[in-house]
Amino acid sequence: MANSSAPAESSAASLQGSASAASAAKLASLGLIMGTSLLGNAALSALLLRDSSLRRAPYYFLLDLCLADALRAAVCFPFVMASVGGGAWPHGALGCKLVAFMSVLFCFHVAFLLLCVSVIRYMAIAHHRFYSKRMNLCTCVAVICMVWTLSVAMAFPPVFDVGTYRFIREEEQCTFEHRYVKTNDTLGFMLMLLVIVGTTHVVYVKMLCFVYDHRKMKPAQLVPAISQNWTFHGPGATGQAAANWIAGFGRGPTPPTLVGIRQASHPGNRRLLVLDEFKTEKRIGKMYYMITLAFLVLWAPYISACYVRIFVRGAPVPQLYLTAAVWMSFAQAAANPIISFLFNKELRVRLRACLPCCLATQTPMEPYCVI
């Protein structure tokens, strides 16, 4: 009898040891994600608020994105760590609904904001004149308020549904209870999230096609100059025509535009992007697309598991896959500052300028001779 109970006790001890090791790994990884998210978003937010040259439309949306990710890490992740350490949800049904509401709110906020930013990025490239006139601080605030309103509208209705927001033991968090499509109504929310992310990528593809079409070089067309008694003017005029008129050879009216003298145009009247502006808008668009792509990659495993639960009755999702998918969705809150600094040279330059260790300049040593 004692011999039969010994293997059972050893197996139970080994299972308990593996469960403790898994919980420790979960807590360590989630703590790293939360620390990286808070530190990175705080540093990027401080840089955007401190540097006056970054107070432009694209960076207003980036600041809002940083604040939302930092709030998600500070509000939602500690409850997940408490549930992992305790093995159950200790804050009641109302607390579970509040935490689940905040988690879903931040998820839809990122999705809606990236969709709006993709449309604005397309306007900055394809309709720069309208973009430069309309995209000011008030417009950005209005877009951000609209995004928060839509996010609240998507996350708030499940609060009143019985059993929709609850603690999922396999995921260690309070969120949607994804069940079979005939017994639950979360399919609409998952379809909405999929449509938002898909539309965002469609807009970026359209912007890429626009840039590719306008990069084609057109053949040069020679336009003849207009002559009025040796006063050549017009698109085809040369510098010698202007010199002839100044020297007194011309008796006609003053040419409309002398070569070498560029007419000053108001910045608001420009229809096309100059090369530097195009590079800046292209760099910012690349940064936002990488953020959008990271959102899709990190959330795709969890969304796939949710669709399996919705469309396949009683489909078992492997616990290891589900845990990895949930933790990848958590990592999205820490990925945006890293992506922003990696793919935006302007942010790196401004960050180095703000760091005290980078302010000291070294005088280059040059060889010289003593005579």
Side-chain angles (χ1 to χ4, degrees):
M1 192 72 178
N3 293 332
S4 62
S5 62
E9 291 178 358
S10 62
S11 62
S14 62
L15 289 176
Q16 185 178 2
S18 61
S20 300
S23 299
K26 291 179 182 179
L27 290 174
S29 59
L30 188 56
L32 178 62
I33 292 173
M34 185 173 66
T36 305
S37 176
L38 293 175
L39 182 61
N41 287 294
L44 185 55
S45 301
L47 177 64
L48 295 175
L49 291 174
R50 179 178 178 180
D51 200 327
S52 59
S53 63
L54 299 178
R55 294 172 187 173
R56 306 196 303 271
Y59 298 113
Y60 292 146
F61 299 111
L62 185 60
L63 177 62
D64 179 69
L65 189 64
C66 291
L67 295 179
D69 289 337
L71 285 175
R72 182 190 175 199
V75 173
C76 300
F77 291 172
F79 291 98
V80 178
M81 297 179 71
S83 65
V84 171
W89 181 258
H91 302 287
L94 181 59
C96 183
K97 284 188 176 183
L98 290 176
V99 174
F101 167 76
M102 297 296 291
S103 179
V104 175
L105 172 68
F106 292 134
C107 175
F108 274 100
H109 170 265
V110 175
F112 277 119
L113 184 64
L114 292 178
L115 174 60
C116 294
V117 168
S118 66
V119 176
I120 294 172
R121 288 293 88 210
Y122 176 78
M123 292 171 55
I125 297 296
H127 308 282
H128 186 71
R129 182 181 180 185
F130 177 82
Y131 170 82
S132 60
K133 285 184 176 181
R134 301 299 181 184
M135 289 308 300
N136 49 22
L137 177 60
C138 296
T139 307
C140 295
V141 171
V143 172
I144 291 173
C145 292
M146 180 192 67
V147 167
W148 280 108
T149 304
L150 292 175
S151 304
V152 172
M154 289 299 301
F156 195 70
V159 174
F160 299 100
D161 294 339
V162 179
T164 303
Y165 281 157
R166 62 184 296 269
F167 178 70
I168 309 298
R169 184 67 184 85
E170 294 81 5
E171 301 180 11
E172 307 287 354
Q173 65 172 341
C174 286
T175 184
F176 278 130
E177 184 186 8
H178 299 285
R179 294 177 294 178
Y180 188 59
V181 62
K182 294 183 179 180
T183 60
N184 203 358
D185 56 352
T186 58
L187 177 61
F189 295 93
M190 299 304 298
L191 289 177
M192 177 60 71
L193 183 61
L194 189 62
V195 168
I196 294 170
V197 177
T199 307
T200 305
H201 283 81
V202 168
V203 175
Y204 278 111
V205 170
K206 184 175 177 60
M207 182 176 66
L208 182 63
C209 294
F210 178 86
V211 173
Y212 178 77
D213 291 339
H214 286 74
R215 285 180 63 182
K216 297 179 180 179
M217 298 183 64
K218 297 181 180 180
Q221 297 180 358
L222 299 178
V223 181
I226 301 174
S227 174
Q228 293 179 354
N229 296 328
W230 295 95
T231 57
F232 292 91
H233 58 88
T238 61
Q240 186 60 40
N244 292 339
W245 185 88
I246 294 175
F249 289 100
R251 296 294 184 266
T254 304
T257 305
L258 294 178
V259 176
I261 303 176
R262 184 178 180 180
Q263 287 183 341
S265 60
H266 194 270
N269 294 328
R270 292 178 298 181
R271 294 179 177 270
L272 300 177
L273 286 167
V274 298
L275 184 59
D276 293 339
E277 291 176 341
F278 177 76
K279 289 182 178 180
T280 301
E281 299 296 341
K282 184 179 178 181
R283 181 170 57 246
I284 295 174
K286 181 179 179 181
M287 177 193 70
Y288 272 112
Y289 178 72
M290 295 307 298
I291 292 175
T292 306
L293 186 61
F295 179 83
L296 175 62
V297 171
L298 294 175
W299 276 92
Y302 181 72
I303 294 175
S304 302
C306 295
Y307 274 108
V308 169
R309 290 176 175 178
I310 291 173
F311 288 108
V312 182
R313 183 189 293 272
V317 180
Q319 183 60 41
L320 182 61
Y321 173 83
L322 187 60
T323 302
V326 172
W327 255 247
M328 286 178 65
S329 66
F330 292 158
Q332 184 268 325
N336 294 335
I338 300 174
I339 295 174
S340 300
F341 284 116
L342 284 178
F343 291 94
N344 195 328
K345 183 179 179 181
E346 185 179 8
L347 291 177
R348 296 196 302 269
V349 172
R350 298 301 179 184
L351 180 63
R352 285 195 294 265
C354 292
L355 293 178
C357 60
C358 298
L359 293 179
T361 58
Q362 297 181 357
T363 305
M365 301 298 294
E366 296 182 356
Y368 61 93
C369 298
V370 178
I371 300 176

